[in-house]
Amino acid sequence: TFQKISPHFSLLKQQKMFKDITDTNTHHLIYFDAFGPRVQPNLWTESVFKIMFDALMPSGVLVTYSAKGSVRRAMQAVGFTVEKLPGPPGKREMLRASKGL
């Protein structure tokens, strides 16, 4: 369901298995807040990032609190342009992955 935040901004929260995501060029932003690669390594693979890459619109962005090198490399391998950013309080760094920039 969509949650309207303001006249020009709404959120769509979905609970799905990655294998069930078929969206293509649909989303502006993905906030990926899974448990880290050490706890859930199956969620930090090239195949999962490819699904998210495909689901994003051109110029779409994926952000995550994980800044691990293997995560960055998996994102880059599927076509993302990846930047390290300062993290929020309690996190040193985070990643922003852009599609088509």
Side-chain angles (χ1 to χ4, degrees):
T1 59
F2 278 95
Q3 298 296 316
K4 194 157 186 93
I5 305 299
S6 72
H8 302 287
F9 187 82
S10 60
L11 294 175
L12 172 63
K13 184 175 180 180
Q14 298 180 347
Q15 184 173 348
K16 293 181 179 181
M17 300 295 288
F18 274 100
K19 66 179 179 60
D20 297 329
I21 297 172
T22 59
D23 301 347
T24 305
N25 296 322
T26 304
H27 304 286
H28 296 277
L29 172 69
I30 297 172
Y31 172 64
F32 191 56
D33 191 26
F35 285 108
R38 182 180 54 78
V39 177
Q40 289 185 305
N42 58 318
L43 294 180
W44 300 90
T45 63
E46 286 183 26
S47 61
V48 169
F49 286 117
K50 176 71 169 129
I51 292 167
M52 291 189 278
F53 183 87
D54 291 344
L56 284 169
M57 297 174 72
S59 301
V61 174
L62 180 153
V63 294
T64 183
Y65 290 136
S66 178
K68 203 171 174 181
S70 60
V71 171
R72 179 183 47 78
R73 289 187 295 277
M75 291 175 164
Q76 290 171 324
V78 301
F80 281 113
T81 300
V82 184
E83 306 168 81
K84 278 188 183 179
L85 302 173
K91 294 290 288 179
R92 190 178 53 193
E93 297 173 319
M94 62 184 289
L95 295 177
R96 175 173 56 201
S98 303
K99 179 178 180 178
L101 293 179

